[in-house]
Amino acid sequence: MNSISRLFDLTGRTALITGSSAGIGYALARGLALAGATVILNGRNEARLARAADTLRSVGATVHTSNFDVTDADSVSTAIAHLEDHVGALDILVNNAGMQRRAPLENFSVAHWDELMRTNLDSVFLVGKAVARHMIPRGRGKIVNICSVQSELGRPHIAAYTASKGAVKMLTKGMAIDWGPHGLQVNGLGPGYFKTELTEALVNNPEFSNWLIGRTPSRRWGDVEDLIGAAVFLASDASNFVNGHILYVDGGVTATL
């Protein structure tokens, strides 16, 4: 293996990816596994987690699963301590768990606001803090928080989501500032519009899809595989002097009006 390849090699490292039984989280877990990492899948549905793990194992990946609630502080602390003791030191954390709720802001319920903020923002704080407390004494660690083009841009009827992802962007910078002196790198990965189960209705809506493709300099939707290279970069030694940065993988959406 040449020196450049070694920069991106994750062999011997362990990565926890939250919300990774499907969609973007699963794609990122698969990418890290293909780069050599042992991956830990997390999600709420144990059956889906088991299926995702079996699929990854079928291509030679080393996979564990951890079914804990990323929005519950006690569950997070217990799960991270268990993983550290029984799977091994966590070298990489990808905070991917998230959700979307759409409604005009004046009609957006307090219950949905609280649910969305707990899932999209509180989970990043809770899991990030729990993992960082183990990384800090070791003097190393990679944390990748999944942001969004909505960390920068707004759209009708998703003000709450935009607020949550804007907060994740700034929390990422705060984590980098506090934990950088301890040897950690904390960065954000900001997907644009990607074809997933959650966006299927938009993909199949000709009016929206045509608008989006025309709005995107790369003139297409993103495929989840497009995120893997950026994720491996941010999780590997190749990014050892990258800290507090948000890497947008969006086909150029954030670059143009």
Side-chain angles (χ1 to χ4, degrees):
M1 184 182 295
N2 64 44
S3 58
I4 296 299
S5 298
R6 279 198 295 271
L7 284 175
F8 296 90
D9 183 25
L10 300 180
T11 301
R13 304 188 190 186
T14 300
L16 168 63
I17 306 94
T18 66
S20 50
S21 61
I24 286 174
Y26 174 79
L28 297 180
R30 181 175 179 274
L32 297 183
L34 291 175
T38 293
V39 296
I40 303 166
L41 305 183
N42 159 265
R44 293 177 294 182
N45 186 314
E46 289 193 51
R48 290 185 74 180
L49 270 182
R51 287 195 297 271
D54 287 343
T55 302
L56 288 181
R57 291 185 186 115
S58 72
V59 296
T62 302
V63 186
H64 301 270
T65 61
S66 186
N67 176 233
F68 66 91
D69 182 355
V70 296
T71 70
D72 181 83
D74 290 337
S75 295
V76 168
S77 295
T78 299
I80 298 306
H82 178 83
L83 291 173
E84 285 273 339
D85 289 340
H86 296 281
V87 176
L90 298 177
D91 304 290
I92 301 160
L93 167 65
V94 180
N95 275 312
N96 170 76
M99 67 173 299
Q100 175 65 288
R101 293 284 190 185
R102 297 176 183 274
L105 188 58
E106 68 273 17
N107 298 328
F108 206 88
S109 73
V110 172
H112 282 170
W113 173 276
D114 289 342
E115 177 191 34
L116 189 147
M117 290 298 169
R118 284 196 308 272
T119 304
N120 292 2
L121 178 59
D122 292 0
S123 68
V124 177
F125 165 69
L126 293 173
V127 183
K129 181 177 74 168
V131 171
R133 282 178 166 174
H134 291 274
M135 289 178 168
I136 286 170
R138 295 192 285 264
R140 69 182 190 278
K142 300 279 186 174
I143 297 177
V144 181
N145 297 328
I146 302 305
C147 298
S148 167
V149 292
Q150 265 78 50
S151 297
E152 302 289 345
L153 305 172
R155 287 281 300 154
H157 301 168
I158 60 167
Y161 181 83
T162 301
S164 73
K165 289 300 185 177
V168 171
K169 178 186 76 169
M170 295 311 299
L171 179 57
T172 298
K173 293 177 182 289
M175 287 175 167
I177 293 164
D178 281 3
W179 299 339
H182 300 287
L184 279 62
Q185 289 86 52
V186 187
N187 294 289
L189 179 60
Y193 283 84
F194 280 76
K195 295 179 181 177
T196 68
E197 294 174 6
L198 295 179
T199 60
E200 186 175 3
L202 294 176
V203 174
N204 294 332
N205 180 325
E207 183 180 1
F208 181 87
S209 199
N210 289 336
W211 170 84
L212 176 68
I213 291 169
R215 168 75 169 74
T216 303
S218 293
R219 294 296 186 265
R220 65 177 177 87
W221 282 82
D223 294 313
V224 290
E225 301 295 314
D226 293 323
L227 292 165
I228 290 176
V232 171
F233 166 68
L234 293 176
S236 70
D237 289 345
S239 60
N240 279 350
F241 201 55
V242 180
N243 220 353
H245 177 70
I246 314 301
L247 176 54
Y248 291 102
V249 182
D250 63 358
V253 165
T254 53
T256 182
L257 289 174

